[in-house]
Amino acid sequence: VRSYGQYCAVAKTLDVIGDRWNLLIVRELLIRGDCRYTDLQHGLPGIATNLLADRLRELEAAGVLTREQAPPPIATTLFRLTERGLALRPVLRELLRWGAPLMLEPDERDAFRSHWLGGAAELALVDSAPEAPALSIELRPSGETPVTLEVAVGAVRTRDGSADSPALVLEAPPPLLLGVLTGQLGLDEATEHGLLWQGDADALARVRLLGAVEAQVA
Amino acid sequence: VRSYGQYCAVAKTLDVIGDRWNLLIVRELLIRGDCRYTDLQHGLPGIATNLLADRLRELEAAGVLTREQAPPPIATTLFRLTERGLALRPVLRELLRWGAPLMLEPDERDAFRSHWLGGAAELALVDSAPEAPALSIELRPSGETPVTLEVAVGAVRTRDGSADSPALVLEAPPPLLLGVLTGQLGLDEATEHGLLWQGDADALARVRLLGAVEAQVA
DNA sequence: CAGCATCCGCTTTGATACTG
DNA sequence: CAGTATCAAAGCGGATGCTG
């Protein structure tokens, strides 16, 4: 909450979203859409409940999110990003890109949630063949719930849960799935390390890392 | 220093550069290039000296910056961003873009440094006529040292101090300078609010906000 | 003077327990 | 489900002192 007191746009941004947990709360809402309090708690393992409540108030006051009364029959409050909050997507994308190399040395003690993988795919991958028919890839991180990539019209969207008729199903520990999706690891190589797959291996060619294009602009 | 303990690239990034002051230290080194300890202190008003020392060690350990012994006759240690540290530029740029609207309501008590303005220009402005001859614009934030924008070959670079033969000199309080540079404020309008200028008003047309191009890619 | 280290008071965080 | 209450530990900001 404490301001840096600097007339600089970066410092002003950090005044709002620089506090601990704030950007991860935005991450959750960006990936999952509207969330209940307990959804956020589940997606933010390690946060203290009083901190979550505090941060939600702060972010609401800053105009990053709103608190909505869901209509019956749900009868619960939902937290939703505002337009201003959604505008943080490019920030999250660049943080993700910078942190990608840090994922190569996984720590066994780290928590993991399937939708983090889905969100990363949505932020960092594009459909390399926008004209081709839509297809789904189902990811099964070992010991976690499955998540589905829907590849269509140039983009990659994700959804929790299994796919109806996936072109490809991949099952492996998260780091292995990441390696395959980013193209750093071939399907054969990953299989040797314990990845299980089923379906059309060519479906992987449909996803491509967002990067080369951006580098030109920047 | 405390890790979020989440196997997520965003969280991993914040483990490294999410601590208070860390990104502002990177900002200083990105804008100004290699810095001495005291240069950093000057560019980070409000930081406690022990915190600066701590953060520099952390960032060094994380591979974001290095500590170099400058050759004689300087004989001081310089802090320099590594390749990995320089790769944070897109992160800073997106933080800057998100925070730009927050600059519209300035707080009189905020600290200000001329090079913050220069750095913002370098991150957010481009040369709209790459083929045209190079030119300089000198900015004089009221009560602060001048900073020079060098507009050439498609880009905007900045340098501390006055220009040799500036095409345009602008003198005004920082918010007014920002308004003029971003195009939100016309030169006439800004003049009514107290801006002083001298030289070729058309030079302003050479700088354009980076934004439209990016939006297409994203 | 540049580059810290130490100490101290205050705030923020984290863990747990409890409640409408 | 959606928080509040409590308390110990860690982090932060400010002042000062030390060392080449």
Side-chain angles (χ1 to χ4, degrees):
Chain A
V1 180
R2 186 180 182 89
S3 167
Y4 285 106
Q6 301 184 355
Y7 189 68
C8 158
V10 175
K12 289 290 175 204
T13 298
L14 294 176
D15 282 348
V16 176
I17 45 105
D19 274 4
R20 196 164 163 78
W21 293 109
N22 274 355
L23 270 174
L24 295 186
I25 291 172
V26 173
R27 174 197 71 186
E28 286 302 305
L29 291 169
L30 254 185
I31 295 180
R32 315 206 62 178
D34 302 359
C35 284
R36 295 173 301 177
Y37 190 87
T38 38
D39 296 331
L40 290 171
Q41 275 191 313
H42 174 258
L44 298 164
I47 197 173
T49 177
N50 56 346
L51 277 191
L52 179 53
D54 280 357
R55 294 293 123 92
L56 287 172
R57 266 190 298 268
E58 286 177 29
L59 291 172
E60 189 184 6
V64 172
L65 54 82
T66 56
R67 192 181 298 252
E68 312 242 331
Q69 285 303 337
I74 309 188
T76 184
T77 63
L78 286 180
F79 297 90
R80 164 178 306 174
L81 288 181
T82 61
E83 202 64 35
R84 185 87 177 122
L86 290 169
L88 283 168
R89 168 181 280 269
V91 173
L92 270 292
R93 193 191 54 214
E94 296 304 333
L95 291 171
L96 171 79
R97 286 157 60 90
W98 195 83
L102 303 174
M103 302 293 276
L104 296 178
E105 304 125 38
D107 182 339
E108 278 308 316
R109 320 178 340 154
D110 281 348
F112 177 76
R113 297 288 181 271
S114 292
H115 68 270
W116 296 342
L117 184 57
E122 206 166 307
L123 280 171
L125 299 179
V126 291
D127 176 5
S128 62
E131 312 290 333
L135 63 79
S136 298
I137 300 177
E138 181 176 322
L139 306 178
R140 301 177 175 272
S142 312
E144 273 283 334
T145 60
V147 62
T148 296
L149 308 189
E150 298 181 333
V151 188
V153 294
V156 175
R157 302 303 317 263
T158 63
R159 196 168 39 74
D160 282 2
S162 293
D164 278 347
S165 54
L168 180 63
V169 179
L170 302 174
E171 176 165 356
L176 225 54
L177 289 177
L178 262 182
V180 172
L181 287 176
T182 58
Q184 296 174 332
L185 218 55
L187 206 50
D188 302 348
E189 204 174 354
T191 306
E192 288 174 19
H193 287 82
L195 170 130
L196 302 175
W197 64 278
Q198 172 187 337
D200 176 16
D202 292 337
L204 269 181
R206 274 293 286 279
V207 299
R208 202 192 60 211
L209 258 183
L210 176 65
V213 180
E214 287 246 320
Q216 290 171 4
V217 177
Chain B
V1 179
R2 185 181 183 87
S3 167
Y4 285 107
Q6 301 184 354
Y7 190 68
C8 159
V10 175
K12 289 292 175 202
T13 298
L14 294 176
D15 282 347
V16 177
I17 46 103
D19 275 3
R20 195 162 165 78
W21 293 109
N22 274 355
L23 270 174
L24 295 186
I25 291 172
V26 173
R27 174 196 71 187
E28 286 302 306
L29 291 169
L30 255 185
I31 296 180
R32 315 206 63 179
D34 303 358
C35 282
R36 294 174 303 176
Y37 189 87
T38 39
D39 296 330
L40 290 171
Q41 275 190 313
H42 175 257
L44 297 164
I47 197 173
T49 176
N50 55 347
L51 277 191
L52 179 54
D54 280 356
R55 294 292 123 95
L56 288 172
R57 265 190 299 270
E58 286 177 28
L59 292 173
E60 189 185 6
V64 172
L65 56 82
T66 57
R67 191 181 299 254
E68 312 241 332
Q69 286 304 335
I74 307 187
T76 184
T77 62
L78 287 180
F79 297 90
R80 164 178 307 173
L81 288 181
T82 60
E83 203 63 37
R84 185 86 176 123
L86 290 169
L88 283 167
R89 170 181 280 268
V91 173
L92 270 293
R93 191 191 55 214
E94 295 304 331
L95 290 171
L96 171 79
R97 285 156 61 90
W98 195 82
L102 303 173
M103 302 293 276
L104 296 178
E105 303 126 39
D107 182 339
E108 278 308 315
R109 320 181 337 154
D110 281 348
F112 176 76
R113 297 289 181 271
S114 293
H115 68 270
W116 297 343
L117 184 56
E122 207 167 308
L123 279 172
L125 299 180
V126 290
D127 176 4
S128 62
E131 313 289 334
L135 63 78
S136 299
I137 301 177
E138 180 176 324
L139 306 177
R140 302 176 175 272
S142 311
E144 274 283 332
T145 60
V147 63
T148 298
L149 308 188
E150 298 181 333
V151 187
V153 295
V156 175
R157 302 302 316 262
T158 64
R159 194 169 42 74
D160 282 2
S162 293
D164 278 346
S165 54
L168 179 63
V169 178
L170 302 174
E171 176 164 358
L176 224 55
L177 288 177
L178 261 181
V180 170
L181 287 176
T182 58
Q184 295 174 333
L185 217 56
L187 206 50
D188 301 348
E189 203 173 353
T191 305
E192 287 175 20
H193 288 82
L195 170 129
L196 303 174
W197 64 279
Q198 172 188 334
D200 176 16
D202 293 336
L204 269 181
R206 275 293 285 281
V207 299
R208 202 192 60 212
L209 257 184
L210 176 64
V213 180
E214 286 249 320
Q216 291 170 2
V217 176

